[in-house]
Amino acid sequence: MMQNPEILAALQERLDGLVGSPSGYMESLPKVVKRRVHALKNLQVKCAHIEAKFYEEVHELERKYAALYQPLFDKRSDIVKAVYEPTDEECEWKAAEEEELTEEMKEKAKVKEEKKDEEKEDPKGIPEFWLTVFKNVDLLSDMLQEHDEPILKHLQDIKVKFSDPGQPMSFSLDFHFEPNDFFSNTLLTKTYKMRSEPDETEPFSFDGPEIMGCTGCVIDWTKGKNVTLKTIKKKQKHKGRGTVRTVTKTVPNDSFFNFFTPPEGEERSTCPSGTLEDEDSEAVLAADFEIGHFIRERIVPRAVLYFTGEAIEDDDDDYDEEGEEADDEVRPN
Amino acid sequence: MMQNPEILAALQERLDGLVGSPSGYMESLPKVVKRRVHALKNLQVKCAHIEAKFYEEVHELERKYAALYQPLFDKRSDIVKAVYEPTDEECEWKAAEEEELTEEMKEKAKVKEEKKDEEKEDPKGIPEFWLTVFKNVDLLSDMLQEHDEPILKHLQDIKVKFSDPGQPMSFSLDFHFEPNDFFSNTLLTKTYKMRSEPDETEPFSFDGPEIMGCTGCVIDWTKGKNVTLKTIKKKQKHKGRGTVRTVTKTVPNDSFFNFFTPPEGEERSTCPSGTLEDEDSEAVLAADFEIGHFIRERIVPRAVLYFTGEAIEDDDDDYDEEGEEADDEVRPN
């Protein structure tokens, strides 16, 4: 049957029409036409390079606007930190959603509010502003451990800094902390290197600037406060004698603060590509880039809306939570 | 039980922590803190207005780059239309995917190619370029009817035109046709009005320019060639006498060319808001805006990649196809 030229032709006809078999379609074109399509593809490569320049100019524009936003973000920071007390005029707000509350809810809220007012007689600024933002965003709360929370209460601001004009494209996320018992840094920084140029071998995959890598920073943990490490006790049985002994090991611990020690550098250069460790760190990096991008694009520009919950979207990725190791004895290192 | 203040407090505590109950969270804050959050929200409104200016400047940049792309798009058009025959140098292409074909596939393709070369002795330009693009993109092929195909063979170019500086933000999609038997127009146009400013009542929903409306154009159909209308014959039974008669009715027909008569204008102004017709046309408009945006953002800038199939993504929306009315006798009007 496969020798029948009519059936072969009919099959080929079907193949030609198939979306997702691009090479087959190209191959089926008359030679003179294929030649012209190649000319169009060369024009398309030129378009990709123009597009790269476009994104560089958008980056310039973002830098320009970052400077326009900054006074507003600084004022936000001053209000959060209780450096500045806004005037009555600045605090006037008519919001539909707050008026839609039923009388009953308002009554309850009032009771609650009075109770709170009694409890914390004079709260300074907006307590736990950034911690609340973190808790309200799935992408961030997934990284958050219980032991991170007392530390993030001291987070006072996150700033986005763009690379200077003429420098390779990059941005930094600066986490500003008030002095605290956990580490001596008041600034923790994560820098993302970006690239806005088509790949030589895959020019058509270019679709705007990409995050290419990132670097973290060293956290000077106070002794015994490093939540990114934990000591576990393991019972070992001697093979010959059958006696049992307990050994103590220091191992990595889940923590938001691992964000500042991304797997790049050591692991990536020592692991031969394609090994399991390499794939693992690739996945960690992909998640890390997504988080960095999200903090830059959404969290910093509209933090208050994540604080109140107004900006929370339903379409956040849902990750399955993995079971925790319940048997390990955990304490900060 | 609901009178127990401890349980109520515990419930409230849970409610406060609930993502998606923003008002509840806000209401639970001490009055002085809530006041400061309102100040942050007022700052956020100012940010939204700065963001609107940013997108206006991006639009300026897009206009500037449109002029840089245009010579390449014009050359593409000239090659497609056989106005220009590219040189050997312009047609040089080393593509990985074309080399990955097996020898067997190449052999088959060669046979096919030779056959094609014989069939169409000297194909001009790139025949059916835009029709093939349409067929390869789900979003467009869903609109495409069999009777549209002979017409779209005459489509020679799609151009994006931006509004002039200082004018209200908008863009047009210009469909250029070669002279044909179906209509006398050589240009069919669809214009999308855009808006880049935060809504007064919902400033935080602003997230860049939005398409606000669109206008089509009149197609001067040759008599008997209008594929957007069809005549159907219906048998009607007389209630009293029981006799059967056949009536002929002209009704709208599915066609890509309905794209040029969007439901705005007549229907929207005559239907009271909230009626079924209104909801229907809202849905048609939403789909229309998506298509207009997609043609502007993806199809026109990289048409050749949709022609070859290289740009086809798997994540296109899948629409359920509705059953066709099989009993109607259909012919172009």
Side-chain angles (χ1 to χ4, degrees), chain A residues 22 27 34-36 41-42 44 51 57 64-65 85-86 88 90 92-93 113 123 125 301 308 310, chain B residues 22 34-36 41-42 44 51 57 64-65 69 85-86 88 90 92-93 101 113 123 125 301 308 310:
Chain A
E27 289 296 327
K34 209 175 356 178
R35 194 178 159 278
R36 291 171 196 140
K41 286 176 79 167
N42 283 323
Q44 197 64 45
E51 201 182 350
E57 288 211 45
K64 171 182 159 185
Y65 273 79
E85 186 64 45
D88 285 345
E90 287 171 329
E92 233 171 72
W93 187 260
E113 192 176 275
T308 62
E310 285 159 279
Chain B
K34 206 170 5 173
R35 194 178 159 276
R36 292 171 195 139
K41 287 177 78 166
N42 282 323
Q44 198 63 45
E51 199 181 352
E57 288 210 44
K64 171 181 159 185
Y65 272 79
Y69 290 124
E85 186 66 44
D88 285 346
E90 289 171 328
E92 235 171 71
W93 187 260
L101 290 175
E113 190 175 273
T308 63
E310 285 159 281

Side-chain angles (χ1 to χ4, degrees), chain A residues 134 137-144 158 160 171-173 175 190-192 211 214 255-260 262-263 283-301 306 316-317 319:
Chain A
F134 271 56
V137 177
D138 284 352
L139 203 61
L140 299 176
S141 67
D142 284 348
M143 302 169 76
L144 212 59
I158 307 178
V160 180
F171 70 92
S172 295
L173 303 175
F175 291 70
K190 183 81 171 270
T191 304
Y192 290 91
I211 293 179
C214 61
S255 164
F256 165 72
F257 291 91
N258 289 318
F259 183 65
F260 298 100
V284 172
L285 276 179
D288 185 289
F289 292 175
E290 191 188 348
I291 290 162
H293 181 78
F294 193 77
I295 292 177
R296 174 194 149 179
E297 285 284 316
R298 313 298 298 181
I299 303 291
V300 173
Y306 288 96
D316 263 336
D317 285 12
Y319 295 97

Side-chain angles (χ1 to χ4, degrees), chain B residues 61-174:
Chain B
L61 213 51
E62 285 177 316
R63 199 191 338 261
K64 171 181 159 185
Y65 272 79
L68 299 177
Y69 290 124
Q70 202 49 57
L72 299 172
F73 293 160
D74 287 345
K75 195 157 189 180
R76 171 175 80 188
S77 174
D78 286 347
I79 293 170
V80 167
K81 290 186 292 188
V83 168
Y84 174 73
E85 186 66 44
T87 66
D88 285 346
E89 200 190 329
E90 289 171 328
C91 296
E92 235 171 71
W93 187 260
K94 266 244 165 287
E97 88 274 12
E98 286 174 32
E99 287 165 302
E100 274 166 19
L101 290 175
T102 62
E103 282 307 312
E104 190 192 5
M105 280 171 82
K106 276 188 189 166
E107 200 48 48
K108 275 185 198 165
K110 206 178 154 199
V111 172
K112 175 87 186 169
E113 190 175 273
E114 278 160 10
K115 198 170 137 260
K116 279 233 168 174
D117 282 350
E118 278 165 38
E119 277 170 17
K120 300 186 179 181
E121 199 114 296
D122 185 21
K124 298 282 178 236
I126 303 178
E128 305 184 13
F129 180 78
W130 289 99
L131 173 59
T132 306
V133 169
F134 270 57
K135 283 179 169 178
N136 277 346
V137 177
D138 284 352
L139 203 62
L140 300 175
S141 67
D142 283 348
M143 300 168 77
L144 211 61
Q145 307 299 319
E146 223 180 309
H147 49 245
D148 294 327
E149 298 195 13
I151 314 178
L152 284 170
K153 285 183 185 176
H154 300 286
L155 177 57
Q156 290 193 311
D157 203 4
I158 307 178
K159 287 182 180 173
V160 180
K161 273 196 186 159
F162 290 94
S163 51
D164 287 326
Q167 293 299 304
M169 204 186 274
S170 75
F171 69 92
S172 295
L173 302 175
D174 287 358

Side-chain angles (χ1 to χ4, degrees), chain B residues 279-298:
Chain B
E279 277 172 33
D280 274 0
S281 63
E282 287 292 340
V284 172
L285 276 179
D288 185 289
F289 292 176
E290 191 188 348
I291 290 161
H293 181 79
F294 192 76
I295 293 177
R296 174 194 149 178
E297 284 286 316
R298 313 298 298 180

